[in-house]
């Protein structure tokens, strides 16, 4: 064995893994700045919006052209043809045609409502569109959601996925925890796929509403950072490019061909 060659191979593989794109799962209550946080990511940004009216807080950025928002997946009628198949077909078409190479960031807003689309498809296939899910409906829904998120996290761009919060009790200790709202065992499995888990926090002060990002777990909220270990404060300002720069990662925007020569850029 050529030990120098082996060590070089391992070192090169490690360096390549360190240059992988950044991904984050961010959750929080309505009004705490989840969607607005997307606008602080590397540009240009493609948003697939599933929350009805969710893009209103970034409408200025959309009008300026450096955020592209696809809102076709909002406000699904669960009794009609489910939108999951249409969205999945569009996602894989974009991937196949290399569209994600053009964007610096891809955003899903939100994981919670995307999960509802998946459940609507399951219920439609079971002949119970718009009905109440049975126990056997959750496994196919979780499988669909986990498979597509795994694929999304392999994209050649940064990924930010938002989620609504959910509380759960630890049966052993009786303690209450708050984390991303997902189904069943995905509460554990999905967060493991992400580099970062942040919670958006807002509080009222004498100067108005103060927004921050929680990057480490408290006794109540779940959060963690891998890229910011020993670098990030527990509460950081809600600015993704600021955090990327602080962690020594790529914080540069990509060129935006459709805005070249446009004064809005």
């Amino acid at each position: 064995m050529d030990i120098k060659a082996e060590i070089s191979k391992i070192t090169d593989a490690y360096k390549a893994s360190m240059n992988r794109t950044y991904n984050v799962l961010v959750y929080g209550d309505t009004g705490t700045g989840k969607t607005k946080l997307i606008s602080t990511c590397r540009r240009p940004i493609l948003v697939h919006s599933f929350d009805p009216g969710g893009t209103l807080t970034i409408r200025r950025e959309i009008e300026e052209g450096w955020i592209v928002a696809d809102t076709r997946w909002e406000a699904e009628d669960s009794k009609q043809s489910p939108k999951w198949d249409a969205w999945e077909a569009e996602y894989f078409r974009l991937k196949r045609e290399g569209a994600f190479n053009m964007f610096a960031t891809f955003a899903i807003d939100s994981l919670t409502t995307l999960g509802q689309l998946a459940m609507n498809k399951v219920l439609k296939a079971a002949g119970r569109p718009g009905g109440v899910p049975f126990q056997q409906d959750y496994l196919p829904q979780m499988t669909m959601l986990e498979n597509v998120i795994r694929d999304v996290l392999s994209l050649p761009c940064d990924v930010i996925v938002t989620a609504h919060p959910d509380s759960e009790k630890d049966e052993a200790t009786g303690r209450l925890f708050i984390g991303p709202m997902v189904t069943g065992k995905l509460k554990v499995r999905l967060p493991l796929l992400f580099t970062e888990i942040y919670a958006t926090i807002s509080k009222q002060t004498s100067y108005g509403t103060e927004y921050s990002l929680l990057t480490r777990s408290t006794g109540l909220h779940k959060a963690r950072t891998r890229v910011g270990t020993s670098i990030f404060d527990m509460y950081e300002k809600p600015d993704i490019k600021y955090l990327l720069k602080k962690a020594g990662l790529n914080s540069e925007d990509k060129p935006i061909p459709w805005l070249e020569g446009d004064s809005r850029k």
Side-chain angles (χ1 to χ4, degrees):
M1 176 186 291
D2 185 339
I3 189 63
K4 288 186 178 181
E6 289 297 320
I7 295 300
S8 178
K9 185 189 302 182
I10 294 171
T11 301
D12 288 345
Y14 172 76
K15 290 179 179 178
S17 70
M18 293 304 291
N19 289 328
R20 291 175 60 188
T21 53
Y22 166 90
N23 60 73
V24 55
L25 174 60
V26 57
Y27 72 95
D29 289 315
T30 300
T32 57
K34 296 190 304 298
T35 303
K36 191 65 178 177
L37 182 69
I38 293 171
S39 67
T40 70
C41 293
R42 294 170 59 226
R43 308 175 184 181
I45 304 163
L46 174 62
V47 180
H48 280 188
S49 178
F50 302 91
D51 285 4
T55 56
L56 289 176
T57 59
I58 54 172
R59 60 188 181 278
R60 179 182 61 82
E61 292 86 348
I62 294 170
E63 290 170 358
E64 291 176 353
W66 51 270
I67 290 184
V68 178
D70 192 338
T71 61
R72 287 176 288 172
W73 328 112
E74 297 179 359
E76 177 180 56
D77 184 343
S78 60
K79 294 185 179 180
Q80 301 300 317
S81 178
K83 291 184 178 180
W84 174 275
D85 288 340
W87 170 74
E88 193 174 41
E90 174 66 2
Y91 164 74
F92 282 109
R93 181 189 70 82
L94 292 172
K95 182 181 177 183
R96 185 171 60 251
E97 296 179 4
F100 292 107
N101 291 299
M102 302 293 293
F103 290 94
T105 306
F106 175 52
I108 289 178
D109 188 29
S110 67
L111 178 66
T112 307
T113 41
L114 176 60
Q116 292 173 355
L117 259 65
M119 179 57 78
N120 289 341
K121 174 180 168 62
V122 172
L123 294 176
K124 179 79 172 181
R128 294 179 280 110
V132 177
F134 295 162
Q135 187 64 37
Q136 67 266 24
D137 298 323
Y138 288 101
L139 180 57
Q141 182 231 19
M142 289 190 290
T143 301
M144 291 164 58
L145 201 56
E146 183 172 6
N147 287 345
V148 79
I149 292 300
R150 283 183 180 275
D151 196 273
V152 165
L153 294 180
S154 72
L155 293 174
C157 60
D158 295 346
V159 172
I160 180 168
V161 176
T162 70
H164 295 272
D166 192 20
S167 60
E168 58 180 315
K169 183 186 292 186
D170 185 297
E171 296 300 329
T173 64
R175 294 178 62 189
L176 188 68
F177 296 95
I178 298 175
M181 182 184 290
V182 288
T183 305
K185 293 182 179 179
L186 289 188
K187 290 181 183 293
V188 175
R189 293 208 301 264
L190 273 188
L192 289 175
L193 303 179
F194 287 83
T195 303
E196 309 292 286
I197 311 293
Y198 303 151
T200 52
I201 305 294
S202 66
K203 64 178 181 179
Q204 296 299 319
T205 70
S206 57
Y207 302 100
T209 306
E210 181 180 288
Y211 299 93
S212 61
L213 275 182
L214 179 68
T215 68
R216 292 184 175 83
S217 291
T218 65
L220 181 61
H221 288 88
K222 294 181 178 180
R224 65 163 164 74
T225 177
R226 290 172 178 164
V227 303
T229 302
S230 74
I231 300 174
F232 291 172
D233 295 327
M234 177 171 282
Y235 293 95
E236 288 281 3
K237 68 177 181 178
D239 187 326
I240 295 298
K241 285 204 289 187
Y242 166 80
L243 292 179
L244 288 169
K245 188 173 183 179
K246 190 172 184 178
L249 300 177
N250 182 15
S251 61
E252 298 298 317
D253 297 330
K254 285 186 177 182
I256 309 178
W258 56 91
L259 289 183
E260 288 181 357
D262 192 322
S263 61
R264 296 177 302 168
K265 183 176 178 182

